[in-house]
């Protein structure tokens, strides 16, 4: 879910700054509430309360988030320029779990103009039997393997400095 005025506010910022991608924060709610004890990671998983410059390269933001242990490959924590997605030919891999991982990785590392704001526009529902809370299965493993191979292909297809290489490797 998104907060009431999220899209209008996000589009205004993205257009004003001429961004490829605009990242934002979120907050989780639990259904049923008992899941909060079982999955405490989600209490702050979608927050990145760091002040950053108005515009960065995607690689710079990736390194910064990895340093802070807050890189989140969650596609719903950003809005994307359609022109940017089309120019880079960025799409989700269909039919796998964890399709956010390779999409988010490629979007961030290929972007020339990104920003992050700390407003919590996403309302993330944590519920029973979602992809992230369900018992892990072969489909999860297959999704991670497929995601890894695609992310490796992305990494091999871009230029990067030592810092970006270090964080991609990790």
């Amino acid at each position: 879910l998104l907060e009431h005025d999220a899209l209008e506010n996000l589009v205004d910022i993205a257009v004003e700054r001429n961004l490829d991608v605009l990242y934002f924060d979120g907050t989780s709610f639990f259904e049923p509430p008992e899941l909060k004890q079982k999955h405490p990671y989600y209490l702050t998983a979608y927050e990145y309360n760091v002040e950053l410059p108005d515009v960065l390269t995607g690689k710079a933001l990736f390194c910064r988030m990895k340093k802070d242990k807050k890189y989140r490959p969650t596609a719903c924590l950003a809005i994307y320029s359609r022109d940017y997605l089309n120019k880079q030919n960025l799409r989700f891999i269909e039919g796998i779990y964890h399709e956010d991982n390779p999409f988010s990785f490629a979007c961030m590392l290929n972007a020339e103009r990104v920003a992050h704001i700390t407003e919590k526009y996403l309302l993330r529902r944590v519920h029973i039997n979602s992809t992230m809370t369900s018992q892990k299965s072969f489909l999860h493993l297959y999704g991670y393997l497929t995601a890894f191979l695609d992310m490796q292909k992305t990494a091999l297809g871009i230029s990067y400095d030592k810092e970006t290489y270090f964080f991609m490797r990790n």
Side-chain angles (χ1 to χ4, degrees):
L1 302 170
L2 291 175
E3 290 288 352
H4 176 68
D5 291 333
L7 287 177
E8 181 179 356
N9 295 339
L10 291 165
V11 168
D12 287 348
I13 294 167
V15 168
E16 176 186 308
R17 298 183 191 177
N18 191 29
L19 300 174
D20 297 324
V21 186
L22 174 58
Y23 297 92
F24 52 92
D25 286 353
T27 188
S28 298
F29 65 98
F30 298 80
E31 289 182 349
E34 296 78 42
L35 281 180
K36 192 181 289 188
Q37 285 75 37
K38 190 172 180 182
H39 300 283
Y41 164 79
Y42 293 111
L43 287 169
T44 59
Y46 304 106
E47 299 173 7
Y48 184 55
N49 297 315
V50 175
E51 291 299 319
L52 297 168
D54 283 350
V55 178
L56 298 161
T57 66
K59 290 173 190 158
L61 182 59
F62 175 78
C63 291
R64 184 72 189 267
M65 286 181 154
K66 291 291 279 183
K67 274 184 207 173
D68 295 336
K69 297 182 178 17
K70 281 302 217 174
Y71 171 72
R72 302 148 310 172
T74 305
C76 56
L77 283 173
I79 63 167
Y80 309 86
S81 160
R82 179 188 301 249
D83 289 341
Y84 169 67
L85 294 178
N86 287 336
K87 179 180 164 193
Q88 294 293 327
N89 196 30
L90 296 170
R91 304 286 184 271
F92 287 98
I93 299 172
E94 293 186 29
I96 66 165
Y97 285 4
H98 313 296
E99 70 279 1
D100 282 14
N101 291 345
F103 177 82
S104 297
F105 186 75
C107 281
M108 190 174 277
L109 289 176
N110 284 295
E112 292 299 320
R113 297 184 59 81
V114 304
H116 174 270
I117 57 173
T118 58
E119 281 79 15
K120 294 179 182 175
Y121 286 124
L122 175 71
L123 302 170
R124 167 53 158 92
R125 180 172 65 111
V126 179
H127 60 96
I128 296 171
N129 293 326
S130 74
T131 301
M132 299 309 294
T133 62
S134 65
Q135 179 76 26
K136 301 307 178 222
S137 68
F138 173 77
L139 293 175
H140 289 87
L141 177 62
Y142 178 76
Y144 279 130
L145 178 59
T146 303
F148 170 78
L149 293 173
D150 193 77
M151 292 164 71
Q152 183 181 42
K153 182 178 163 186
T154 295
L156 292 172
I158 61 172
S159 62
Y160 43 82
D161 58 21
K162 286 182 182 182
E163 181 182 43
T164 305
Y165 174 74
F166 173 80
F167 287 114
M168 282 192 307
R169 213 182 61 222
N170 291 316

